[in-house]
Amino acid sequence: CEKDPDASATFLSEIVGEPAAEGRVMPTGSILDLMDILAGRVAFNHVGDIVATVSFDHVHLRMPVCHMDLVRVEGRLVHVGNSSLVVRVVTFKHDKQTRSFVETASSLITMV
């Protein structure tokens, strides 16, 4: 029974960083880590087993994320192969002035 790739889509939201560093830019690695965690969840939802990250492709960093920003990471499958999956992950932060989420980063993440 084939699973619908859209059924594996998911998201996570959290306030990131340290209160003592509020307003300072977060390290990019911390944001990539959240993206990796979410891609793993999407892949696990689809295959129901342990997965591993192979690569991050087409990483686009659009704007920095600061400590104590509310971040939302969304992921969905864009390709299912015989032995690998590609997950598109997009990261947003909540802009307090506009009261909306703005895109901060995106990537295609290959999982096996």
Side-chain angles (χ1 to χ4, degrees):
C1 173
E2 288 271 329
K3 259 188 152 172
D4 178 11
D6 288 336
S8 300
T10 192
F11 74 95
L12 65 84
S13 293
E14 67 178 62
I15 295 174
V16 296
E18 299 295 325
E22 185 171 1
R24 287 189 271 179
V25 174
M26 290 278 298
T28 303
S30 299
I31 303 308
L32 293 174
D33 187 45
L34 286 175
M35 295 171 77
D36 185 35
I37 289 167
L38 189 81
R41 284 186 187 175
V42 171
F44 180 84
N45 287 348
H46 191 73
V47 300
D49 204 353
I50 296 171
V51 294
T53 305
V54 174
S55 68
F56 276 66
D57 296 310
H58 305 288
V59 178
H60 297 281
L61 303 173
R62 290 178 173 76
M63 68 175 45
V65 173
C66 295
H67 288 269
M68 303 314 293
D69 278 348
L70 173 59
V71 172
R72 179 180 172 97
V73 185
E74 300 177 357
R76 62 181 293 276
L77 285 171
V78 293
H79 175 75
V80 178
N82 290 330
S83 61
S84 65
L85 307 161
V86 178
V87 182
R88 176 162 162 57
V89 178
V90 182
T91 303
F92 303 87
K93 74 174 182 178
H94 188 258
D95 184 309
K96 294 171 188 165
Q97 291 180 343
T98 64
R99 295 183 179 181
S100 62
F101 281 90
V102 293
E103 187 174 327
T104 62
S106 63
S107 184
L108 297 173
I109 303 175
T110 303
M111 311 293 289
V112 294

XYZ file of all heavy atoms in Angstrom:
851
model
N 0.842 -1.178 0.000
C 0.000 0.000 0.000
C 0.896 1.253 0.000
O 1.641 1.475 0.943
C -0.894 -0.044 1.222
S -1.871 1.426 1.498
N 0.826 2.027 -1.060
C 1.616 3.258 -1.179
C 1.016 4.340 -0.300
O -0.192 4.517 -0.250
C 1.624 3.733 -2.631
C 2.453 2.894 -3.546
C 3.896 3.369 -3.597
O 4.147 4.564 -3.436
O 4.758 2.508 -3.800
N 1.886 5.071 0.382
C 1.451 6.200 1.188
C 1.416 7.459 0.342
O 2.275 7.671 -0.501
C 2.428 6.427 2.332
C 2.000 5.900 3.643
C 2.971 6.379 4.703
C 2.263 6.483 6.014
N 3.174 6.749 7.097
N 0.444 8.310 0.582
C 0.371 9.605 -0.078
C 1.453 10.508 0.510
O 1.469 10.727 1.725
C -1.016 10.209 0.149
C -1.180 11.585 -0.460
O -0.308 12.017 -1.246
O -2.195 12.231 -0.158
N 2.366 11.031 -0.311
C 3.431 11.892 0.207
C 2.918 13.099 0.988
O 3.526 13.517 1.962
C 4.190 12.332 -1.043
C 3.937 11.254 -2.030
C 2.540 10.778 -1.744
N 1.771 13.649 0.588
C 1.225 14.809 1.298
C 0.813 14.465 2.728
O 0.793 15.335 3.597
C 0.044 15.408 0.540
C 0.475 16.131 -0.728
O 1.651 16.569 -0.790
O -0.348 16.258 -1.645
N 0.491 13.197 2.975
C 0.086 12.784 4.318
C 1.259 12.831 5.301
O 1.054 12.817 6.511
C -0.514 11.380 4.278
N 2.482 12.874 4.793
C 3.669 12.890 5.650
C 4.121 14.303 6.021
O 5.005 14.471 6.846
C 4.820 12.164 4.951
O 4.454 10.830 4.681
N 3.523 15.317 5.399
C 3.909 16.702 5.681
C 3.675 17.031 7.150
O 2.739 16.526 7.775
C 3.118 17.656 4.793
N 4.543 17.875 7.699
C 4.385 18.275 9.095
C 5.097 19.600 9.323
O 5.664 20.183 8.402
C 4.900 17.177 10.057
O 4.489 17.485 11.383
C 6.409 17.040 10.002
N 5.050 20.089 10.550
C 5.712 21.333 10.901
C 6.112 21.285 12.367
O 5.654 20.433 13.126
C 4.804 22.548 10.641
C 3.696 22.689 11.647
C 3.845 23.505 12.752
C 2.517 21.983 11.493
C 2.822 23.623 13.695
C 1.495 22.081 12.427
C 1.643 22.908 13.530
N 6.965 22.210 12.751
C 7.249 22.430 14.162
C 7.390 23.925 14.380
O 7.770 24.660 13.477
C 8.488 21.664 14.647
C 9.872 21.998 14.109
C 10.492 23.162 14.878
C 10.769 20.784 14.261
N 7.029 24.368 15.561
C 7.161 25.776 15.929
C 7.780 25.847 17.303
O 7.432 25.060 18.180
C 5.796 26.469 15.974
O 5.230 26.559 14.705
N 8.698 26.794 17.472
C 9.269 27.004 18.797
C 9.935 28.373 18.869
O 10.298 28.952 17.852
C 10.245 25.905 19.175
C 11.514 25.831 18.375
C 12.428 24.716 18.876
O 12.020 23.537 18.813
O 13.530 25.034 19.322
N 10.069 28.853 20.070
C 10.846 30.062 20.315
C 12.277 29.595 20.485
O 12.567 28.741 21.327
C 10.334 30.812 21.553
C 8.916 31.299 21.289
C 11.261 31.979 21.888
C 8.229 31.931 22.472
N 13.170 30.136 19.661
C 14.542 29.634 19.598
C 15.503 30.504 20.402
O 15.251 31.678 20.645
C 15.042 29.533 18.135
C 14.229 28.514 17.353
C 15.027 30.873 17.449
N 16.615 29.886 20.785
C 17.713 30.632 21.387
C 17.621 30.811 22.886
O 16.853 30.140 23.572
N 18.417 31.746 23.354
C 18.569 32.006 24.784
C 18.001 33.380 25.140
O 18.302 34.367 24.462
C 20.056 31.969 25.158
C 20.733 30.641 24.887
C 20.161 29.529 25.743
O 19.786 29.796 26.913
O 20.075 28.399 25.235
N 17.235 33.453 26.225
C 16.675 34.744 26.631
C 17.751 35.822 26.858
O 17.531 36.990 26.532
C 15.935 34.432 27.931
C 15.610 32.975 27.841
C 16.744 32.361 27.070
N 18.896 35.444 27.374
C 19.952 36.418 27.656
C 20.532 37.023 26.377
O 21.145 38.092 26.417
C 21.068 35.774 28.473
N 20.332 36.346 25.235
C 20.870 36.835 23.960
C 19.775 37.400 23.063
O 19.986 37.596 21.866
C 21.600 35.707 23.245
N 18.613 37.690 23.629
C 17.479 38.162 22.837
C 17.881 39.305 21.907
O 18.564 40.242 22.309
C 16.346 38.632 23.751
C 15.102 39.020 22.989
C 13.899 39.271 23.890
O 14.025 39.170 25.123
O 12.832 39.556 23.339
N 17.464 39.172 20.642
C 17.752 40.196 19.645
C 19.037 39.966 18.868
O 19.216 40.538 17.797
N 19.930 39.126 19.377
C 21.164 38.828 18.639
C 20.904 37.696 17.649
O 20.075 36.833 17.880
C 22.286 38.451 19.602
C 22.812 39.679 20.354
C 24.047 39.349 21.123
N 23.601 38.881 22.441
C 24.393 38.482 23.414
N 25.686 38.466 23.248
N 23.903 38.097 24.562
N 21.658 37.693 16.566
C 21.469 36.719 15.492
C 21.862 35.317 15.966
O 22.908 35.127 16.591
C 22.277 37.126 14.239
C 22.199 36.051 13.161
C 21.780 38.461 13.705
N 21.004 34.352 15.640
C 21.273 32.940 15.952
C 22.314 32.397 14.981
O 22.357 32.806 13.823
C 19.995 32.100 15.755
C 18.898 32.318 16.752
S 19.149 31.412 18.270
C 19.130 29.729 17.711
N 23.111 31.423 15.414
C 24.018 30.751 14.469
C 23.205 30.003 13.409
O 22.178 29.392 13.710
C 24.784 29.760 15.343
C 24.557 30.187 16.753
C 23.264 30.933 16.776
N 23.666 30.053 12.172
C 22.970 29.374 11.076
C 22.843 27.878 11.338
O 21.833 27.259 10.998
C 23.700 29.626 9.743
O 23.780 31.038 9.543
C 22.974 28.989 8.577
N 23.859 27.292 11.966
C 23.823 25.862 12.263
C 22.628 25.458 13.102
O 22.074 24.366 12.932
N 22.201 26.326 13.998
C 21.029 26.028 14.834
C 19.762 25.937 13.994
O 18.898 25.092 14.237
C 20.850 27.106 15.903
O 21.965 27.157 16.749
N 19.649 26.793 12.990
C 18.479 26.778 12.111
C 18.533 25.553 11.197
O 17.526 24.873 10.988
C 18.398 28.080 11.292
C 18.353 29.301 12.226
C 17.207 28.058 10.343
C 17.300 29.252 13.313
N 19.717 25.244 10.666
C 19.865 24.042 9.828
C 19.545 22.783 10.629
O 18.982 21.823 10.087
C 21.271 23.969 9.239
C 21.621 25.065 8.228
C 23.095 24.959 7.835
C 20.727 25.002 7.010
N 19.877 22.773 11.915
C 19.567 21.633 12.776
C 18.047 21.439 12.878
O 17.557 20.312 12.781
C 20.194 21.842 14.156
C 20.055 20.625 15.043
O 20.306 19.495 14.567
O 19.698 20.790 16.231
N 17.305 22.529 13.067
C 15.842 22.425 13.113
C 15.289 21.897 11.792
O 14.372 21.073 11.772
C 15.214 23.788 13.408
C 15.324 24.316 14.829
C 14.753 25.726 14.911
C 14.612 23.402 15.802
N 15.867 22.375 10.689
C 15.425 21.921 9.373
C 15.693 20.424 9.202
O 14.856 19.686 8.669
C 16.118 22.727 8.279
C 15.724 24.202 8.283
S 16.718 25.227 7.170
C 15.979 24.792 5.592
N 16.835 19.967 9.678
C 17.199 18.549 9.598
C 16.249 17.698 10.441
O 15.786 16.642 10.006
C 18.648 18.370 10.052
C 19.154 16.957 9.890
O 18.763 16.281 8.921
O 19.964 16.521 10.728
N 15.943 18.162 11.639
C 15.010 17.439 12.520
C 13.658 17.293 11.843
O 13.059 16.212 11.831
C 14.888 18.150 13.878
C 16.183 17.974 14.680
C 13.683 17.633 14.669
C 16.294 18.881 15.895
N 13.175 18.380 11.249
C 11.870 18.318 10.607
C 11.882 17.400 9.386
O 10.947 16.623 9.184
C 11.370 19.704 10.212
C 9.917 19.603 9.741
C 8.977 19.553 10.924
C 9.579 20.686 8.794
N 12.940 17.470 8.572
C 13.038 16.575 7.410
C 13.018 15.120 7.871
O 12.383 14.270 7.233
C 14.308 16.872 6.617
N 13.684 14.831 8.967
C 13.665 13.476 9.521
C 12.273 13.046 9.941
O 11.869 11.899 9.713
N 11.517 13.966 10.528
C 10.133 13.648 10.923
C 9.264 13.347 9.709
O 8.476 12.408 9.727
C 9.512 14.816 11.696
C 9.970 14.946 13.102
C 9.173 16.027 13.792
N 9.699 16.293 15.114
C 9.257 17.244 15.894
N 8.296 18.051 15.483
N 9.782 17.427 17.086
N 9.410 14.175 8.671
C 8.620 13.961 7.452
C 8.960 12.602 6.847
O 8.063 11.818 6.497
C 8.867 15.098 6.422
C 8.232 14.761 5.087
C 8.349 16.423 6.953
N 10.253 12.305 6.716
C 10.681 11.026 6.136
C 10.209 9.856 6.994
O 9.722 8.849 6.470
C 12.196 11.009 5.970
N 10.347 9.986 8.322
C 9.889 8.924 9.220
C 8.385 8.716 9.073
O 7.911 7.565 9.058
C 10.244 9.235 10.673
C 9.786 8.170 11.628
C 10.572 7.046 11.850
C 8.562 8.265 12.271
C 10.141 6.048 12.718
C 8.125 7.273 13.137
C 8.916 6.161 13.361
N 7.618 9.803 8.978
C 6.166 9.686 8.795
C 5.830 8.882 7.544
O 4.831 8.170 7.509
C 5.517 11.069 8.679
C 5.454 11.809 9.991
O 5.682 11.247 11.053
N 5.163 13.096 9.915
N 6.667 8.999 6.527
C 6.384 8.305 5.261
C 6.813 6.840 5.301
O 6.069 5.979 4.854
C 7.060 9.017 4.090
C 6.596 8.507 2.774
N 5.348 8.802 2.266
C 7.195 7.698 1.863
C 5.202 8.204 1.099
N 6.306 7.531 0.831
N 8.012 6.562 5.821
C 8.521 5.185 5.762
C 8.285 4.403 7.049
O 8.340 3.175 7.037
C 10.030 5.137 5.398
C 10.274 5.774 4.046
C 10.888 5.783 6.459
N 8.057 5.089 8.162
C 7.801 4.414 9.427
C 9.019 3.729 10.006
O 8.888 2.769 10.764
N 10.203 4.201 9.648
C 11.433 3.581 10.135
C 12.509 4.656 10.269
O 12.339 5.790 9.825
C 11.889 2.494 9.154
C 12.776 1.438 9.811
O 13.158 1.610 10.988
O 13.101 0.451 9.133
N 13.616 4.274 10.851
C 14.736 5.194 11.050
C 15.250 5.676 9.697
O 15.369 4.904 8.754
C 15.865 4.510 11.849
C 15.366 4.169 13.249
C 17.101 5.391 11.922
C 16.329 3.311 14.048
N 15.569 6.972 9.622
C 16.109 7.574 8.403
C 17.376 8.343 8.749
O 17.631 8.644 9.915
C 15.084 8.521 7.734
C 13.883 7.745 7.222
C 14.654 9.614 8.689
N 18.151 8.641 7.720
C 19.381 9.420 7.904
C 19.443 10.499 6.827
O 18.988 10.306 5.707
C 20.606 8.517 7.809
N 20.053 11.611 7.183
C 20.230 12.715 6.243
C 21.435 12.444 5.361
O 22.508 12.113 5.850
C 20.443 14.040 7.006
O 19.358 14.228 7.911
C 20.539 15.218 6.049
N 21.252 12.619 4.052
C 22.344 12.461 3.099
C 22.898 13.824 2.699
O 24.103 14.028 2.672
C 21.888 11.684 1.846
C 22.981 11.647 0.799
C 21.451 10.287 2.216
N 21.990 14.757 2.384
C 22.486 16.063 1.929
C 21.440 17.155 2.076
O 20.238 16.890 2.108
C 22.930 15.991 0.469
O 21.811 15.784 -0.372
N 21.952 18.375 2.160
C 21.157 19.597 2.046
C 21.502 20.173 0.677
O 22.673 20.404 0.387
C 21.570 20.614 3.106
C 20.922 20.448 4.449
C 21.184 19.338 5.235
C 20.067 21.420 4.937
C 20.610 19.196 6.476
C 19.484 21.293 6.182
C 19.755 20.179 6.952
N 20.504 20.407 -0.171
C 20.735 20.980 -1.495
C 19.968 22.287 -1.628
O 18.884 22.443 -1.062
C 20.263 20.018 -2.592
C 21.066 18.729 -2.603
O 22.300 18.821 -2.603
O 20.443 17.656 -2.607
N 20.522 23.184 -2.404
C 19.865 24.460 -2.685
C 19.442 25.155 -1.397
O 18.276 25.524 -1.227
C 18.656 24.270 -3.610
C 18.986 23.571 -4.879
N 19.712 24.172 -5.891
C 18.725 22.312 -5.304
C 19.860 23.322 -6.878
N 19.287 22.176 -6.549
N 20.375 25.344 -0.491
C 20.085 26.051 0.752
C 20.019 27.546 0.445
O 20.969 28.124 -0.078
C 21.163 25.775 1.825
C 20.881 26.562 3.090
C 21.253 24.282 2.120
N 18.884 28.139 0.742
C 18.700 29.573 0.530
C 18.459 30.226 1.893
O 17.472 29.912 2.556
C 17.509 29.850 -0.394
C 17.685 29.295 -1.758
N 18.461 29.906 -2.716
C 17.196 28.162 -2.327
C 18.442 29.180 -3.818
N 17.693 28.111 -3.606
N 19.371 31.100 2.282
C 19.233 31.845 3.531
C 18.781 33.254 3.168
O 19.526 34.000 2.536
C 20.564 31.866 4.284
C 21.143 30.487 4.612
C 22.533 30.621 5.209
C 20.225 29.727 5.558
N 17.579 33.600 3.547
C 16.998 34.876 3.121
C 17.159 35.987 4.154
O 17.314 37.136 3.795
C 15.532 34.685 2.776
C 15.383 33.863 1.499
C 13.944 33.599 1.143
N 13.849 32.972 -0.151
C 14.128 31.708 -0.403
N 14.567 30.929 0.562
N 14.005 31.205 -1.613
N 17.056 35.656 5.424
C 17.222 36.661 6.472
C 17.577 35.964 7.771
O 17.262 34.793 7.955
C 15.975 37.533 6.631
C 14.771 36.836 7.165
S 13.342 37.924 7.470
C 13.281 38.907 6.019
N 18.254 36.677 8.662
C 18.672 36.041 9.910
C 17.502 35.793 10.863
O 16.470 36.471 10.796
C 19.662 37.045 10.506
C 19.351 38.338 9.868
C 18.744 38.036 8.537
N 17.710 34.830 11.725
C 16.798 34.539 12.826
C 17.524 34.941 14.093
O 18.713 34.651 14.253
C 16.424 33.038 12.853
C 15.620 32.697 14.090
C 15.678 32.647 11.585
N 16.817 35.614 14.995
C 17.437 36.077 16.235
C 16.990 35.230 17.424
O 15.942 34.577 17.386
C 17.076 37.541 16.491
S 17.744 38.657 15.248
N 17.798 35.263 18.469
C 17.420 34.612 19.723
C 16.058 35.139 20.166
O 15.786 36.337 20.069
C 18.468 34.897 20.811
C 19.747 34.169 20.609
N 19.994 32.923 21.149
C 20.859 34.503 19.908
C 21.205 32.527 20.811
N 21.752 33.470 20.048
N 15.210 34.239 20.599
C 13.863 34.490 21.097
C 12.839 34.806 20.001
O 11.731 35.247 20.290
C 13.842 35.579 22.181
C 14.744 35.259 23.377
S 14.570 33.548 24.012
C 12.910 33.576 24.654
N 13.197 34.547 18.729
C 12.209 34.631 17.645
C 11.328 33.390 17.683
O 11.794 32.287 18.008
C 12.894 34.690 16.269
C 13.368 36.079 15.884
O 12.981 37.061 16.554
O 14.137 36.183 14.902
N 10.070 33.559 17.316
C 9.181 32.424 17.116
C 9.429 31.920 15.702
O 9.259 32.655 14.725
C 7.721 32.833 17.284
C 6.679 31.765 16.933
C 6.860 30.515 17.800
C 5.278 32.334 17.074
N 9.864 30.668 15.591
C 10.227 30.073 14.304
C 9.254 28.942 13.990
O 8.885 28.153 14.862
C 11.682 29.539 14.355
C 12.017 28.741 13.112
C 12.650 30.696 14.522
N 8.853 28.886 12.732
C 8.011 27.786 12.234
C 8.758 27.125 11.088
O 9.205 27.811 10.163
C 6.666 28.319 11.756
C 5.743 27.234 11.204
C 4.417 27.835 10.755
N 3.613 26.855 10.068
C 2.652 26.132 10.620
N 2.367 26.286 11.893
N 1.965 25.252 9.907
N 8.898 25.811 11.151
C 9.579 25.043 10.108
C 8.548 24.090 9.515
O 7.901 23.335 10.238
C 10.783 24.256 10.678
C 11.558 23.572 9.572
C 11.698 25.162 11.486
N 8.387 24.141 8.181
C 7.419 23.304 7.485
C 8.141 22.388 6.514
O 9.108 22.804 5.875
C 6.422 24.165 6.700
C 5.626 25.111 7.567
C 4.697 26.009 6.767
O 4.696 25.938 5.514
O 3.978 26.795 7.403
N 7.681 21.154 6.403
C 8.311 20.211 5.486
C 7.303 19.320 4.795
O 6.287 18.952 5.382
N 7.626 19.000 3.539
C 6.785 18.068 2.785
C 7.646 17.315 1.777
O 8.652 17.838 1.298
C 5.632 18.769 2.083
C 6.022 19.796 1.054
C 4.820 20.482 0.414
N 4.026 19.582 -0.395
C 4.295 19.272 -1.656
N 5.347 19.794 -2.258
N 3.521 18.441 -2.321
N 7.238 16.106 1.474
C 7.953 15.301 0.487
C 7.745 15.868 -0.906
O 6.621 16.230 -1.280
C 7.444 13.860 0.502
C 7.887 13.003 1.678
C 7.141 11.676 1.671
C 9.370 12.768 1.638
N 8.830 15.955 -1.666
C 8.714 16.390 -3.064
C 9.156 15.290 -4.024
O 8.913 15.380 -5.225
C 9.495 17.700 -3.334
C 8.853 18.863 -2.595
C 10.958 17.578 -2.996
N 9.819 14.257 -3.499
C 10.222 13.133 -4.340
C 10.393 11.894 -3.467
O 10.986 11.956 -2.392
C 11.544 13.418 -5.055
C 12.053 12.250 -5.843
N 11.505 11.864 -7.047
C 13.049 11.367 -5.593
C 12.133 10.792 -7.493
N 13.081 10.472 -6.628
N 9.853 10.781 -3.957
C 10.032 9.490 -3.298
C 10.657 8.554 -4.311
O 10.054 8.255 -5.345
C 8.695 8.915 -2.784
C 8.901 7.547 -2.148
C 8.025 9.882 -1.815
N 11.892 8.126 -4.046
C 12.581 7.187 -4.915
C 12.563 5.792 -4.329
O 11.884 5.524 -3.333
N 13.336 4.880 -4.929
C 13.409 3.505 -4.427
C 14.142 3.410 -3.096
O 13.825 2.567 -2.269
C 14.092 2.599 -5.457
C 13.228 2.390 -6.683
O 12.007 2.411 -6.605
N 13.865 2.220 -7.825
N 15.149 4.277 -2.905
C 15.941 4.188 -1.677
C 16.142 5.529 -0.980
O 16.817 5.596 0.033
C 17.315 3.577 -1.990
O 18.009 4.403 -2.912
N 15.561 6.592 -1.524
C 15.740 7.905 -0.896
C 14.476 8.740 -1.023
O 13.591 8.448 -1.830
C 16.918 8.653 -1.531
O 16.638 8.951 -2.882
N 14.416 9.766 -0.197
C 13.306 10.714 -0.190
C 13.893 12.112 -0.241
O 14.944 12.365 0.350
C 12.497 10.593 1.109
C 11.990 9.224 1.523
C 11.637 9.227 2.999
C 10.769 8.881 0.710
N 13.206 13.042 -0.900
C 13.621 14.439 -0.879
C 12.506 15.232 -0.204
O 11.340 15.143 -0.592
C 13.894 14.988 -2.291
C 14.284 16.468 -2.222
C 14.990 14.181 -2.976
N 12.905 15.990 0.814
C 11.968 16.784 1.598
C 12.276 18.262 1.365
O 13.426 18.684 1.490
C 12.096 16.467 3.103
C 11.088 17.269 3.921
C 11.929 14.974 3.361
N 11.267 19.035 1.010
C 11.439 20.494 0.914
C 11.085 21.064 2.275
O 9.985 20.840 2.796
C 10.536 21.089 -0.159
C 10.622 22.613 -0.205
C 10.085 23.167 -1.503
N 9.739 24.561 -1.531
C 10.520 25.598 -1.246
N 11.749 25.389 -0.839
N 10.095 26.830 -1.335
N 12.038 21.795 2.848
C 11.852 22.380 4.171
C 11.966 23.898 4.045
O 12.902 24.405 3.429
C 12.897 21.844 5.174
C 12.717 22.488 6.536
C 12.786 20.327 5.290
N 11.000 24.598 4.615
C 10.986 26.056 4.599
C 10.854 26.540 6.036
O 10.026 26.033 6.797
C 9.819 26.601 3.740
C 9.861 28.133 3.698
C 9.863 26.026 2.341
N 11.685 27.514 6.384
C 11.693 28.083 7.735
C 11.167 29.514 7.687
O 11.521 30.277 6.788
C 13.122 28.071 8.310
O 13.604 26.732 8.286
C 13.146 28.580 9.729
N 10.347 29.844 8.657
C 9.767 31.176 8.775
C 10.031 31.703 10.175
O 10.191 30.922 11.117
C 8.238 31.124 8.582
C 7.790 30.523 7.287
C 7.608 29.157 7.173
C 7.550 31.321 6.190
C 7.178 28.586 5.983
C 7.125 30.760 4.993
C 6.938 29.404 4.886
N 10.045 33.022 10.327
C 10.049 33.616 11.660
C 8.886 34.589 11.735
O 8.449 35.147 10.721
C 11.366 34.312 11.972
C 11.604 35.627 11.273
C 12.885 36.275 11.787
C 13.115 37.626 11.123
N 14.320 38.266 11.653
N 8.396 34.762 12.948
C 7.269 35.666 13.150
C 7.789 37.091 13.242
O 8.621 37.407 14.091
C 6.504 35.294 14.425
C 5.247 36.053 14.593
N 5.129 37.114 15.461
C 4.051 35.923 13.983
C 3.906 37.598 15.385
N 3.226 36.890 14.505
N 7.312 37.934 12.332
C 7.682 39.344 12.330
C 6.720 40.084 13.256
O 5.520 40.144 12.988
C 7.600 39.896 10.901
C 8.064 41.331 10.806
O 7.591 42.179 11.595
O 8.898 41.621 9.928
N 7.248 40.622 14.333
C 6.399 41.265 15.343
C 5.734 42.534 14.818
O 4.638 42.879 15.248
C 7.223 41.567 16.591
C 7.697 40.313 17.283
C 8.682 40.608 18.393
C 9.255 39.305 18.915
N 10.437 39.503 19.712
N 6.383 43.223 13.895
C 5.801 44.468 13.365
C 4.615 44.203 12.454
O 3.596 44.893 12.536
C 6.858 45.276 12.632
C 7.910 45.846 13.561
C 8.963 46.654 12.807
O 9.094 46.549 11.590
N 9.710 47.463 13.544
N 4.738 43.215 11.574
C 3.649 42.929 10.634
C 2.700 41.854 11.151
O 1.660 41.604 10.540
C 4.200 42.473 9.266
O 4.900 41.232 9.441
C 5.113 43.523 8.670
N 3.090 41.191 12.254
C 2.291 40.099 12.834
C 2.034 38.984 11.825
O 0.955 38.410 11.760
C 0.981 40.621 13.402
C 1.168 41.551 14.557
C -0.132 41.977 15.135
N 0.098 42.865 16.262
C -0.848 43.391 16.980
N -2.106 43.124 16.703
N -0.561 44.182 17.973
N 3.069 38.691 11.025
C 2.960 37.617 10.046
C 4.282 36.852 10.018
O 5.292 37.324 10.530
C 2.640 38.177 8.656
O 3.686 39.015 8.227
N 4.236 35.670 9.412
C 5.450 34.874 9.279
C 6.132 35.224 7.962
O 5.472 35.336 6.926
C 5.127 33.376 9.327
C 4.899 32.879 10.725
C 3.630 32.895 11.286
C 5.954 32.409 11.488
C 3.418 32.441 12.577
C 5.753 31.958 12.782
C 4.481 31.974 13.324
N 7.453 35.405 8.014
C 8.245 35.703 6.827
C 9.280 34.595 6.638
O 9.843 34.087 7.610
C 8.932 37.086 6.915
C 7.908 38.201 6.877
C 9.795 37.200 8.145
N 9.501 34.217 5.383
C 10.432 33.134 5.082
C 11.864 33.555 5.386
O 12.291 34.641 5.006
C 10.307 32.730 3.614
C 11.111 31.498 3.271
C 10.864 31.006 1.854
O 9.732 31.160 1.352
O 11.818 30.479 1.268
N 12.591 32.686 6.069
C 13.987 32.974 6.414
C 14.965 32.029 5.730
O 16.102 32.403 5.478
C 14.215 32.901 7.938
O 13.939 31.572 8.385
C 13.336 33.895 8.668
N 14.549 30.790 5.450
C 15.457 29.810 4.835
C 14.648 28.699 4.187
O 13.507 28.436 4.575
C 16.392 29.218 5.885
N 15.278 28.044 3.201
C 14.648 26.873 2.574
C 15.744 25.961 2.050
O 16.873 26.401 1.806
C 13.704 27.289 1.449
O 14.422 27.930 0.404
N 15.397 24.693 1.890
C 16.344 23.725 1.364
C 15.612 22.476 0.913
O 14.506 22.183 1.371
C 17.372 23.350 2.438
O 18.348 22.469 1.909
N 16.266 21.727 0.019
C 15.842 20.379 -0.329
C 16.772 19.441 0.437
O 17.992 19.543 0.314
C 15.941 20.142 -1.827
C 15.053 21.016 -2.688
C 15.380 20.802 -4.168
C 13.584 20.724 -2.417
N 16.202 18.550 1.222
C 17.005 17.668 2.072
C 16.736 16.224 1.645
O 15.586 15.781 1.624
C 16.671 17.889 3.552
C 16.899 19.360 3.919
C 17.498 16.947 4.434
C 16.496 19.732 5.330
N 17.813 15.523 1.290
C 17.697 14.125 0.865
C 17.906 13.220 2.071
O 18.868 13.359 2.813
C 18.740 13.800 -0.228
O 18.547 14.708 -1.326
C 18.589 12.368 -0.714
N 16.990 12.278 2.230
C 17.003 11.327 3.337
C 17.022 9.895 2.796
O 16.466 9.631 1.743
C 15.755 11.493 4.216
C 15.434 12.923 4.647
S 16.621 13.647 5.773
C 16.295 12.728 7.256
N 17.694 9.002 3.511
C 17.664 7.572 3.174
C 17.266 6.771 4.393
O 17.368 7.222 5.501
C 19.033 7.058 2.650
C 19.363 7.703 1.321
C 20.129 7.257 3.648
